[in-house]
């Protein structure tokens, strides 16, 4: 009975072990399935579903370390995805949607500090939007948002009650006036103040009884005030929204009374402390800033100066702090080496030896006594017969080395790539040692052997890449004994030069070919030169070596240089002693109050396409697309004209087209002959987004030129059909302006083109 119980116990243990093994294997299978499913969902960018699958698998097997790592990775990817979506909503001024995305990201990963920062920032935007009743817009809580708003534009107070900008006068009327006065300067300034609706006070050092004369016709309040300041050698500063102070214009008074702003400008692309120092020094020198300090810890620049200088410094710094271009340089290296050796022939001995070997001693110690010379016979001598070596050997070896490294580097930054081995090379110096004569102190230095690349690229505005390039292909070719130390013999192929290539252009930097042949003959003189028979009396060794290195370089742009319109635009900054920013509307001719109201009405109506405008004349200015319908086959292209009629003083136009990107594509934008007048250059700025199906166009005449009247073709759009199906090219938005930068009304007669 005891034996039976033992068998049952063993059977039970085996069954339990099998059950446990089955459970473990089942868990492994389920874990593997969950991992594969999560990987597929992640590849499809369905991060929320991948996170759900991973969380479910982790709950079923909480002790699985692999599941824990996968769960952590899924949380990071999902939270990052929602943060990216939130930033996209912020760029489109969709603050509520962005707030929901950031909350989701923080709920997935509470330790994600970027999500928390963006959430706090978006909450402040939503609160400000709710309080003001308008849409608060900003890109994100990143560096660009921290650097905004720019000083000197609007007087505003922050949430803690501190003013961000100095006091500014409320907008003055631009109604035209005429003023003729020859009076005391104080009287002139008070008169202009009453016309402007502001109070005027004077600095105690402003002189009294200083007569000035002004004779102005059809000017604005701002222009009259500026002319009076020039005549009186004075300047003015706002005290409150309706009070200004007149002060004598001298360097001491400006330094004493000019308002200043303190601003910290954060950088996002500057990478090193040296770049930060160089940028700070250049801005300080250019603008003659009195108080500027680099803050390497925060990667920022702290400036205290006048609002105009702060605004200029902000613009210069942000323009210099744009993302650098990046280029991937693909270097293909092919090295082929072939060695052939041949040894053929019979090499006979080239020497013989005759030795004296007496059979019996003829004298003491191997010498021969004189009285025994007659006993020497032929048997006392031995002659060595030379031997011959027959050889017939051929060897052929081929070596092929292929390297295809890629280097990604930013514009203006040097890059080094080392692929291979580091071989020690001995260096020695003799020195005296006490009691031992001379000793040697051996040191070692390491040499990089393999593929060595040194690269310094410059990305040009035309998408070409200038490179200072050094490519070296080296290998260990043997060793040699020098002074009792084995030293390596290194073969080297190196190219150092500067080259300029277009993006994607392939260039062969160098095809280095080396061929060597050596031939040696060993044998008896004379007989070694007999035809055919020479192989019986001589041996011949022939060695052939061929070595070729081919280096091909191809640059590919990853990110181009960020050049915007503002980067190429000049700014009027006043005089050398009086730096100021001038607004474009300061040089415009003033208009009457009634015309101001009409201009505002027309500007509001000219933003989007609409029907008839109230109060239009008989021949109102119109815009139409021509033709209104066109039949196209897949792959065919056509041209759509944007025509204007009955326009007056048309200077610039901005249009936005929308279409189905799956069926249509806007391939090109060409200017018509209307704005150019047949002789002038016309600027066209276009942004075609083929993924969204949008084409934004801005076209304008040259500065300081008059507008154009009449009718003609404004633009030409080249449209291509990509697939079958009905489609529409819709003019979604249009805005036009005159040479005085006033909005012009346009009635859109036909704003869509049908493609059946």
């Amino acid at each position: 009975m005891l034996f039976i119980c033992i068998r049952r116990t063993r059977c039970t243990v085996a069954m339990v072990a099998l059950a446990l093994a089955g459970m473990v294997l089942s868990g492994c299978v389920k874990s593997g399935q969950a991992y594969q499913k999560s990987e597929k969902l992640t590849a499809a960018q369905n991060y929320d579903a991948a996170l759900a699958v991973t969380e479910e698998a982790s709950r079923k097997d909480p002790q699985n370390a692999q599941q824990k790592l996968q769960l952590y990775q899924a949380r990071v990817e999902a939270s990052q995805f929602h943060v990216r979506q939130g930033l996209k909503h912020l760029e489109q001024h969709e603050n509520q949607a962005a707030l929901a995305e950031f909350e989701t990201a923080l709920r997935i990963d509470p330790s994600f500090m970027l999500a928390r920062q963006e959430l706090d920032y978006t909450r402040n935007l939503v609160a400000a939007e709710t309080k003001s009743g308008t849409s608060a817009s900003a890109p994100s809580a990143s560096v660009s948002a921290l650097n905004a708003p720019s000083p000197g534009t609007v007087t505003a107070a922050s949430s803690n009650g501190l003013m961000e900008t100095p006091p500014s006068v409320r907008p003055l009327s631009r109604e035209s006036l005429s003023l003729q006065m020859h009076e005391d300067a104080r009287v002139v300034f008070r008169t202009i103040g009453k016309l402007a609706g502001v109070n005027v006070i004077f600095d105690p050092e402003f002189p009294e009884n200083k007569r000035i004369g002004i004779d102005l016709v059809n000017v604005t309040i701002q222009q009259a005030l500026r002319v009076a300041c020039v005549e009186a050698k004075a300047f003015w500063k706002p005290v409150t929204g309706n009070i200004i102070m007149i002060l004598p214009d001298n360097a001491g008074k400006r330094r004493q009374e000019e308002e200043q702003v303190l601003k910290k400008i954060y950088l996002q692309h500057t990478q090193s402390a040296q770049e930060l120092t160089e940028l700070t020094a250049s801005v300080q020198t250019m603008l003659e800033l009195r108080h500027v300090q680099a803050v390497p810890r925060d990667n920022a620049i702290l400036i205290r100066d006048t609002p105009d200088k702060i605004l200029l410094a902000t613009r210069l710094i942000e323009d210099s702090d744009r993302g650098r271009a990046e280029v991937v340089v693909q270097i293909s290296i092919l090295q082929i080496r072939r060695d052939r050796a041949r040894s053929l022939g019979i090499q006979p001995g080239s020497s013989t030896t005759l030795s004296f070997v007496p059979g019996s001693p003829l004298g003491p110690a191997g010498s021969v006594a004189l009285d025994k010379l007659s006993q020497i016979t032929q048997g006392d001598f031995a002659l060595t017969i030379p031997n011959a070596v027959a050889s017939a050997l051929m060897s052929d070896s081929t070596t092929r080395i292929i390297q295809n490294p890629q280097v990604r580097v930013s514009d203006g930054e040097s890059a080094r790539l080392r692929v291979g081995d580091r071989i020690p090379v001995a260096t020695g110096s003799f020195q005296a040692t006490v009691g031992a004569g001379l000793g040697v102190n051996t040191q070692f230095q390491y040499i990089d052997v393999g593929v060595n690349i040194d690269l310094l690229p410059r990305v040009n505005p035309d998408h070409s890449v200038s490179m200072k390039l050094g490519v070296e292909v080296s290998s260990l070719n043997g060793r040699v004994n020098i002074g009792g130390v084995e030293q390596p013999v290194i073969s080297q192929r190196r190219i150092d030069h500067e080259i300029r290539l277009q993006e994607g252009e392939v260039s062969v930097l160098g095809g280095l070919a080396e061929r060597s042949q050596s031939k040696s003959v060993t044998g008896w003189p004379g007989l070694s030169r007999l035809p055919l028979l020479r192989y019986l009396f001589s041996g011949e060794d022939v060695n052939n070596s061929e070595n070729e290195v081919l280096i091909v370089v191809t640059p590919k742009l990853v990110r181009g240089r960020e050049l915007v319109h503002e980067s190429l635009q000049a700014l009027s900054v006043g005089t050398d002693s009086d730096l100021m920013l001038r607004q474009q509307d300061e040089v415009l001719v003033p208009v009457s109050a009634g015309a101001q109201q009409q201009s505002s009405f027309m500007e509001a109506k000219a933003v989007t396409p609409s029907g008839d405008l109230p109060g239009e004349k008989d021949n109102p200015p119109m815009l139409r697309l021509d033709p209104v319908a066109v039949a196209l086959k897949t792959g065919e292209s056509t041209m759509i004209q944007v025509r204007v009629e009955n326009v007056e003083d048309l200077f610039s136009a901005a249009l936005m087209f929308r279409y189905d990107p799956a069926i249509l594509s806007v391939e090109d934008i060409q200017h018509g002959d209307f704005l150019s007048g047949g002789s002038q250059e016309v600027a066209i700025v276009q942004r075609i987004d083929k993924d969204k199906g949008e084409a934004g166009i801005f076209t304008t005449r040259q500065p300081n030129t008059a507008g154009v009247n009449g009718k003609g073709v404004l633009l030409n759009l080249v449209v291509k059909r990509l697939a079958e199906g009905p489609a529409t090219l819709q003019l979604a938005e249009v805005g036009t302006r005159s040479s005085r930068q006033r909005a012009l009304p346009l009635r859109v007669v036909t704003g869509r083109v049908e493609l059946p």
Side-chain angles (χ1 to χ4, degrees):
M1 294 294 294
L2 179 61
F3 177 75
I4 295 176
C5 291
I6 292 176
R7 291 289 302 273
R8 289 182 177 177
T9 302
R10 291 180 177 176
C11 184
T12 303
V13 172
M15 293 178 62
V16 172
L18 289 175
L20 292 176
M23 294 174 61
V24 171
L25 292 176
S26 176
C28 293
V29 172
K30 291 181 179 179
S31 175
Q33 292 176 351
Y35 178 79
Q36 294 177 359
K37 186 175 181 180
S38 176
E39 286 293 322
K40 292 181 180 180
L41 292 173
T42 302
Q45 297 185 354
N46 194 350
Y47 299 101
D48 291 336
L51 178 60
V53 171
T54 309
E55 287 179 342
E56 180 66 22
S58 180
R59 280 195 299 268
K60 293 181 178 179
D61 190 6
Q63 302 300 327
N64 192 326
Q66 183 181 3
Q67 289 290 351
K68 290 182 179 180
L69 292 176
Q70 186 181 3
L71 177 60
Y72 173 76
Q73 182 179 0
R75 284 177 177 172
V76 171
E77 292 177 347
S79 58
Q80 290 178 345
F81 170 73
H82 285 286
V83 167
R84 290 195 299 268
Q85 294 298 111
L87 294 177
K88 291 181 181 179
H89 287 303
L90 278 183
E91 292 177 356
Q92 299 175 0
H93 312 311
E94 299 172 354
N95 299 334
Q96 292 291 347
L99 184 64
E101 293 289 348
F102 294 140
E103 289 176 346
T104 303
L106 194 61
R107 184 171 60 253
I108 293 174
D109 187 2
S111 63
F112 195 11
M113 292 306 300
L114 179 60
R116 188 179 300 277
Q117 293 172 354
E118 297 290 352
L119 178 61
D120 295 339
Y121 176 76
T122 309
R123 283 175 176 171
N124 293 334
L125 282 181
V126 173
E129 180 181 350
T130 304
K131 183 177 180 180
S132 62
T134 58
S135 177
S137 61
S140 70
S142 57
V143 176
S144 58
L146 293 175
N147 289 340
S150 301
T153 54
V154 181
T155 301
S158 61
S159 58
N160 56 7
L162 300 177
M163 295 189 65
E164 297 180 358
T165 58
S168 61
V169 178
R170 64 171 178 247
L172 301 179
S173 171
R174 289 187 53 205
E175 184 178 356
S176 62
L177 58 88
S178 298
L179 188 62
Q180 183 179 5
M181 297 184 68
H182 295 273
E183 298 288 345
D184 180 73
R186 294 181 177 240
V187 175
V188 174
F189 280 115
R190 288 194 179 98
T191 303
I192 296 176
K194 290 187 178 296
L195 293 174
V198 297
N199 301 306
V200 180
I201 60 177
F202 297 90
D203 183 80
E205 298 181 8
F206 187 80
E208 297 185 6
N209 301 323
K210 181 179 181 178
R211 295 180 63 87
I212 61 174
I214 56 176
D215 189 355
L216 304 174
V217 178
N218 194 25
V219 296
T220 64
I221 296 293
Q222 295 94 327
Q223 292 170 343
L225 188 59
R226 181 174 299 169
V227 171
C229 287
V230 172
E231 293 288 339
K233 292 181 173 56
F235 72 98
W236 64 277
K237 58 170 286 187
V239 179
T240 64
N242 60 347
I243 301 176
I244 63 173
M245 176 182 287
I246 310 298
L247 306 98
D249 192 2
N250 55 69
K253 184 60 69 174
R254 280 188 176 272
R255 186 177 297 109
Q256 177 183 351
E257 296 294 339
E258 272 188 335
E259 297 283 347
Q260 292 193 349
V261 174
L262 177 65
K263 185 174 183 181
K264 193 173 185 181
I265 304 175
Y266 291 87
L267 308 177
Q268 55 181 335
H269 296 291
T270 301
Q271 300 176 354
S272 63
Q274 181 181 356
E275 292 179 343
L276 179 62
T277 303
E278 292 176 354
L279 182 57
T280 304
S282 62
V283 173
Q284 183 178 16
T285 303
M286 181 60 61
L287 301 181
E288 298 181 353
L289 301 174
R290 295 192 292 269
H291 307 283
V292 57
Q293 180 67 45
V295 188
R297 178 181 178 274
D298 297 335
N299 199 28
I301 300 177
L302 191 62
I303 304 177
R304 178 168 67 89
D305 218 299
T306 62
D308 284 348
K309 286 189 176 182
I310 292 290
L311 184 59
L312 276 175
T314 302
R315 176 163 179 174
L316 290 178
I317 291 173
E318 290 181 349
D319 186 69
S320 301
D321 189 42
R322 301 191 183 277
R324 289 189 177 187
E326 291 188 21
V327 60
V328 171
V329 181
Q330 181 179 358
I331 303 177
S332 301
I333 301 174
L334 176 63
Q335 180 178 6
I336 301 177
R337 180 168 184 170
R338 186 177 183 182
D339 297 313
R340 290 176 295 173
R342 187 189 66 183
S343 179
L344 182 62
I346 299 176
Q347 298 181 3
S350 60
S351 62
T352 182
T353 304
L354 179 63
S355 59
F356 178 63
V357 186
S360 60
L362 300 179
S367 60
V368 180
L370 292 177
D371 59 348
K372 294 183 179 182
L373 289 176
S374 61
Q375 299 178 11
I376 299 175
T377 64
Q378 294 181 357
D380 295 329
F381 293 91
L383 180 65
T384 303
I385 298 176
N387 58 356
V389 178
S391 61
L393 176 65
M394 177 176 289
S395 63
D396 190 346
S397 63
T398 302
T399 303
R400 186 176 185 182
I401 302 175
I402 299 177
Q403 297 283 351
N404 192 23
Q406 290 186 352
V407 183
R408 178 168 177 170
V409 59
S410 298
D411 178 33
E413 295 290 336
S414 60
R416 301 179 65 196
L417 177 64
R418 301 291 183 263
V419 180
D421 302 321
R422 304 197 71 195
I423 297 178
V425 177
T427 59
S429 60
F430 291 94
Q431 61 184 8
T433 58
V434 179
L438 293 177
V440 62
N441 181 20
T442 304
Q443 299 176 348
F444 292 89
Q445 65 179 5
Y446 286 85
I447 299 178
D448 294 315
V449 176
V451 178
N452 303 323
I453 299 173
D454 296 298
L455 177 66
L456 179 62
R458 291 285 184 184
V459 179
N460 304 309
D462 61 348
H463 287 186
S464 64
V465 181
S466 300
M467 291 180 291
K468 186 175 182 180
L469 185 63
V471 180
E472 176 185 294
V473 180
S474 57
S475 61
L476 181 62
N477 200 25
R479 293 186 178 273
V480 62
N481 190 297
I482 302 177
V485 180
E486 291 289 334
Q487 295 281 53
V489 177
I490 299 174
S491 64
Q492 185 184 65
R493 304 290 185 271
R494 182 173 180 87
I495 295 177
D496 290 291
H497 71 156
E498 296 185 6
I499 188 172
R500 179 168 179 170
L501 299 173
Q502 291 293 330
E503 195 273 335
E505 182 180 357
V506 179
S507 175
V508 179
L509 292 185
L512 306 180
E514 178 184 359
R515 293 178 175 85
S516 62
Q517 182 178 8
S518 62
K519 180 179 180 181
S520 62
V521 178
T522 305
W524 290 354
L527 297 177
S528 61
R529 297 186 177 275
L530 294 175
L532 298 178
L533 295 178
R534 63 188 177 92
Y535 291 108
L536 299 176
F537 304 99
S538 65
E540 183 181 77
D541 295 331
V542 178
N543 294 312
N544 293 311
S545 178
E546 298 179 2
N547 191 4
E548 292 189 25
V549 178
L550 184 65
I551 302 174
V552 181
V553 175
T554 306
K556 297 180 180 179
L557 286 181
V558 178
R559 182 183 294 110
R561 298 180 62 182
E562 295 183 10
L563 292 179
V564 296
H565 177 69
E566 289 77 8
S567 302
L568 308 176
Q569 182 182 9
L571 290 176
S572 174
V573 294
T575 64
D576 183 59
S577 59
D578 184 15
L579 188 145
M580 67 176 66
L581 288 176
R582 302 182 186 275
Q583 302 295 329
Q584 290 185 355
D585 58 356
E586 293 180 358
V587 298
L588 299 181
V589 178
V591 295
S592 62
Q596 277 188 323
Q597 296 176 0
Q598 183 181 4
S599 175
S600 301
F601 167 75
M602 289 190 297
E603 183 175 0
K605 297 299 290 184
V607 175
T608 56
S610 58
D612 296 340
L613 297 176
E616 291 182 3
K617 53 187 178 181
D618 295 337
N619 296 318
M622 296 182 297
L623 182 145
R624 69 175 72 243
L625 300 182
D626 186 31
V628 297
V630 59
L632 281 181
K633 296 181 180 179
T634 302
E636 293 182 347
S637 301
T638 188
M639 184 174 293
I640 306 298
Q641 293 183 344
V642 181
R643 306 183 66 88
V644 292
E645 300 176 5
N646 304 325
V647 295
E648 296 181 0
D649 194 25
L650 179 61
F651 185 80
S652 63
L655 304 96
M656 173 65 74
F657 291 89
R658 291 191 175 92
Y659 54 89
D660 187 353
I663 301 178
L664 293 182
S665 173
V666 176
E667 298 295 321
D668 191 17
I669 308 294
Q670 303 173 359
H671 68 79
D673 58 355
F674 183 70
L675 280 184
S676 65
S679 60
Q680 276 197 3
E681 292 290 336
V682 177
I684 295 181
V685 179
Q686 58 182 353
R687 181 181 179 275
I688 301 176
D689 192 336
K690 295 187 177 182
D691 295 332
K692 294 183 179 180
E694 293 181 351
I697 310 165
F698 175 75
T699 178
T700 181
R701 289 172 60 82
Q702 294 183 1
N704 302 322
T705 59
V708 185
N709 304 328
K711 63 179 180 178
V713 178
L714 182 64
L715 293 168
N716 292 312
L717 279 72
V718 179
V719 180
K720 181 179 181 181
R721 178 184 283 273
L722 303 178
E724 295 296 332
T728 302
L729 178 67
Q730 177 70 44
L731 178 60
E733 299 179 10
V734 57
T736 54
R737 288 188 174 274
S738 66
S739 60
R740 298 183 179 181
Q741 299 304 308
R742 301 174 185 169
L744 295 178
L746 276 181
R747 186 180 69 181
V748 179
V749 179
T750 54
R752 55 191 298 164
V753 177
E754 300 291 343
L755 286 85

